[in-house]
Amino acid sequence: MIEKLEREAGAEATEKAYCDEQIAKTEAKRDELSDDVAKLTAKIDSAASRSAELKEQVKALEGELAAITREQAQMDKMRQETHAAYSEAKSDVDLGLTGVRKALALLREYYGAGAAAP
């Protein structure tokens, strides 16, 4: 009977040692995984913060781009108006220049012919 109790006590001790070993391994693995979770959570928080910053930058840049587009449209309109005014003025100047050239030719012909006669 004592031998039986000793065997049972030895078996229980072996079983307890096995259980204690498995509990220690499980706790170590849990601690390791908890550290991994904490690292990944920090990484996610950092990425979310960076994402928010980038979204703000995109919003600001889109606003600047819209302002530049409006300014470019205004400049294009002003350029078209200036070009139209130039085209109109150029035709007037060309017409006036043609008249002046004809007048000079007429004056040269008139005074040139008069200088040759006396």
Side-chain angles (χ1 to χ4, degrees):
M1 177 86 159
I2 293 177
E3 285 180 26
K4 181 180 176 187
L5 290 174
E6 286 177 355
R7 277 185 280 154
E8 286 178 5
E12 284 180 19
T14 303
E15 187 176 330
K16 178 157 179 20
Y18 175 77
C19 287
D20 289 343
E21 179 185 336
Q22 291 302 314
I23 288 173
K25 286 181 182 178
T26 302
E27 287 176 351
K29 185 69 173 174
R30 183 192 64 204
D31 291 343
E32 181 183 320
L33 292 175
S34 292
D35 290 343
D36 288 348
V37 167
K39 287 177 187 176
L40 292 174
T41 301
K43 209 178 223 184
I44 288 171
D45 291 343
S46 174
S49 173
R50 178 76 175 137
S51 175
E53 281 179 24
L54 291 174
K55 285 179 183 178
E56 287 179 24
Q57 287 179 356
V58 165
K59 189 174 183 180
L61 290 173
E62 284 175 343
E64 290 176 16
L65 186 59
I68 290 171
T69 302
R70 282 190 303 274
E71 289 176 13
Q72 183 66 42
Q74 289 173 347
M75 288 181 200
D76 289 345
K77 182 180 177 187
M78 195 181 317
R79 170 73 175 109
Q80 288 173 349
E81 291 170 356
T82 304
H83 181 69
Y86 167 78
S87 296
E88 184 178 327
K90 184 176 183 327
S91 65
D92 290 345
V93 168
D94 287 343
L95 187 60
L97 192 57
T98 303
V100 169
R101 285 185 183 138
K102 285 182 182 178
L104 283 173
L106 184 66
L107 289 171
R108 283 190 187 120
E109 181 182 316
Y110 176 76
Y111 286 108

